[in-house]
Amino acid sequence: MRPLRGFQAAPPTPEPLAMPDQPLDWTFRDPAAPGVRPRHNRLARAAVMLIPLAVATGFARVSALALADEGAEGLALSLLSGLAVFFLAQSTVTALIGAFRRVAPRPASAVPGLRVAILLPIYGEEAAEVIGRAATLLDSLQRPGHAHRFTLHVLSDTRDPRKVLDEAAIAAKLGAGRPEGAIRYRHRARNIDYKQGNIRDWMIRQGGAHDAALILDADSLMGADTVLAMADALVTDPGCGLVQSPVMVLPGETVWQRLQSFANRVYGGALGRGYATWTGSEGNFMGHNAMVRVKAFAASAGLPHLSGPRPLGGVILSHDFVEAALLRRAGWGVRILPEAADSHEEAPETLAGHIRRDARWCQGNLQHVRLLTVPGLNWVSRFHLFSGAMAYLGSALWLAILVLGTITGGGGPWLMVAVLAMLMAPRLIGLIDHLVRVGVPKGRRLAFAGTAVIEFVVATLVAPVMLVQHVIIIARALGGVDNGWMPHEKGSLSFARALKLHALETGLGVALLLGIETGMLSLWLAPVVLGLILSAPVAMLVGARGHWLAEAGWRA
């Protein structure tokens, strides 16, 4: 095993690196790409596509027969329901694949060392906490047993001059106790192209001095073993251009954050392993907590602006999916590493903050529809782009299903039962998988079960709210309204504030309730109506402090 080379900084002289815009009208192949060795499980890939297709086709056919007397509306309801069922069934199959996958810890290996830059983009966050956390990671990586060399680069896009001074001072203070160049700080005068522009600016200015870059977010928290496993993967797989770790959600302080963390950790394990199994070398990029091969990324992933005005033109907001697709097009692999699991991020504190973040993601993912026909993309990359768009367009799909179900008067009970069954299936698979692999101590089992019930109830009540919000966001984007790069909503909500934020959902719920009471609407809409009417109190309650969840015996 090669010895640690010590706490060495990168070369002091920046080495510029070209990062040209990638063509979207013709294909590009990076001549430096050595070729990708397929890593996916062929049986798993076939299962995750063909089984949901068979289920969706069967569901649509049965629906069409049941609604044969409803004419065009019945046929449309059958087809749309089949499409919705496909994605629900795919989640179930993915979770099943993950439940049967065994992931062994990656042993330490004597691989040649990489010069790795830890990139920390910040935008006005609490500098002492954010930079301090990254510096702690840097220190933890300076240990025997590997030959990789790490430096920390704080890349600031902060607009407040006073905060900029604070950031520079904190970076200088932390750097003073370490070898020269171990921690570097750069502030951009112009915030061009948001985070992707920040990373690109660093690549162009000094990327050539490094072999790899670990891209973080301000809220990222990663363990040294995970980072080293990612660096080793780039060395042992020379055709890999990007390694993504599964990202776990930290518990946080509020009920919303703790329930998001619970769902992510308990249900997400099987889904994450299954996703990594069938995607193989055609994985995806989540924008952070990932390591890229610098020269591959610079040569293959420079994003142009889309034609036309914002919000659907201009800067590509959901850049990560697109960068992964372009890397794969250029001949580089993109992998998800399930064993690199000590990787975390924070969730928004409140439901309102979650909706604000979704507004930005939705706008970016809608842009993906324009990129589905880009020449040279791998078909799995196209599926990632399509799935990203459907994560939000799916709300419009479900709205259409609800409207058609109301018009035809059919499809209510059996559609609701089918949907609930397929929504529950990945949760049950994930729950069993978690109990088998991780387990729950005897003294916490009742609290664990209670948390699972609370999470499911909250998720069920919030689903109609998110459906309405996604439709609003889509309508705004299609109408030319730019949601921009908004900060998260923070702080606990009063009932008055929650009612103001969710007035539309509340009013819509009351109107639908009146429709049910008068017999104009079917009773099967009751779960949707309940979620809409309770949107304000639910938003207020999930935004409150959630320490009682931990006190009840559950730990994330």
Side-chain angles (χ1 to χ4, degrees), residues 37-398:
R37 183 178 63 176
R39 288 182 172 272
H40 63 272
N41 183 301
R42 292 183 179 180
L43 181 60
R45 181 169 289 188
V48 87
M49 292 295 169
L50 297 180
I51 292 176
L53 182 61
V55 171
T57 302
F59 187 87
R61 181 174 177 77
V62 171
S63 302
L65 292 174
L67 299 170
D69 295 335
E70 301 298 334
E73 291 87 353
L75 179 60
L77 177 59
S78 300
L79 293 175
L80 294 178
S81 299
L83 179 59
V85 164
F86 173 85
F87 287 100
L88 293 177
Q90 192 177 62
S91 294
T92 301
V93 176
T94 300
L96 272 173
I97 292 170
F100 287 98
R101 173 168 176 174
R102 293 291 173 260
V103 177
R106 180 178 292 271
S109 57
V111 300
L114 299 177
R115 298 167 298 170
V116 183
I118 302 173
L119 305 185
L120 177 65
I122 58 176
Y123 188 71
E125 292 87 2
E126 181 60 42
E129 177 183 352
V130 171
I131 302 175
R133 186 163 55 226
T136 299
L137 172 62
L138 177 68
D139 289 342
S140 69
L141 292 165
Q142 314 308 321
R143 70 185 196 195
H146 70 90
H148 304 296
R149 293 169 287 167
F150 296 87
T151 51
L152 172 61
H153 301 252
V154 182
L155 311 179
S156 172
D157 268 344
T158 300
R159 300 297 91 197
D160 187 336
R162 289 175 297 181
K163 288 189 175 182
V164 171
L165 292 175
D166 289 342
E167 291 169 356
I170 290 168
K173 180 180 178 181
L174 291 171
R178 296 169 174 84
E180 183 179 358
I183 297 179
R184 300 180 180 187
Y185 175 84
R186 186 270 286 134
H187 175 260
R188 283 202 304 170
R190 296 179 61 201
N191 179 13
I192 300 173
D193 292 355
Y194 307 115
K195 178 182 174 180
Q196 60 168 294
N198 201 355
I199 300 295
R200 191 174 190 176
D201 179 82
W202 178 87
M203 292 271 179
I204 291 171
R205 290 174 182 271
Q206 57 190 95
H210 303 82
D211 302 307
L214 175 68
I215 300 176
L216 304 178
D217 259 359
D219 61 353
S220 295
L221 180 65
M222 300 186 72
D225 287 341
T226 284
V227 175
L228 293 173
M230 296 164 75
D232 287 352
L234 287 183
V235 175
T236 56
D237 185 358
C240 182
L242 185 151
V243 178
Q244 173 72 62
S245 66
V247 183
M248 300 289 104
V249 176
L250 292 167
E253 298 292 327
T254 67
V255 173
W256 179 257
Q257 289 175 313
R258 289 176 180 267
L259 292 179
Q260 292 292 297
S261 179
F262 179 89
N264 172 260
R265 290 165 183 268
V266 175
Y267 312 136
L271 282 168
R273 290 190 302 274
Y275 189 69
T277 300
W278 75 260
T279 57
S281 297
E282 286 79 40
N284 216 343
F285 180 28
M286 304 302 151
H288 56 91
N289 294 31
M291 189 174 292
V292 302
R293 196 180 301 276
V294 167
K295 291 182 179 178
F297 194 80
S300 311
L303 298 186
H305 286 193
L306 296 178
S307 61
R310 298 183 65 168
L312 298 182
V315 181
I316 298 176
L317 291 181
S318 294
H319 56 91
D320 37 17
F321 280 38
V322 184
E323 289 160 342
L326 293 179
L327 269 170
R328 186 64 191 85
R329 180 182 75 164
W332 294 99
V334 177
R335 292 174 53 193
I336 299 170
L337 215 61
E339 59 268 34
D342 190 4
S343 177
H344 311 270
E345 65 174 346
E346 294 177 351
E349 293 181 2
T350 63
L351 177 58
H354 180 81
I355 292 169
R356 276 180 172 255
R357 185 181 67 177
D358 255 20
R360 182 178 74 243
W361 286 0
C362 176
Q363 183 173 313
N365 286 20
L366 290 179
Q367 292 176 317
H368 292 172
V369 176
R370 298 185 58 184
L371 302 172
L372 290 174
T373 57
V374 169
L377 296 185
N378 183 278
W379 74 267
V380 179
S381 298
R382 295 188 200 276
F383 186 78
H384 291 324
L385 294 173
F386 178 67
S387 299
M390 284 303 298
Y392 299 96
L393 291 174
S395 292
L397 173 66
W398 280 109

Side-chain angles (χ1 to χ4, degrees), residues 450-472:
T451 305
V453 171
I454 292 170
E455 189 281 327
F456 179 73
V457 170
V458 169
T460 303
L461 292 174
V462 167
V465 177
M466 296 309 301
L467 183 150
V468 172
Q469 288 293 331
H470 285 170
V471 171
I472 292 172

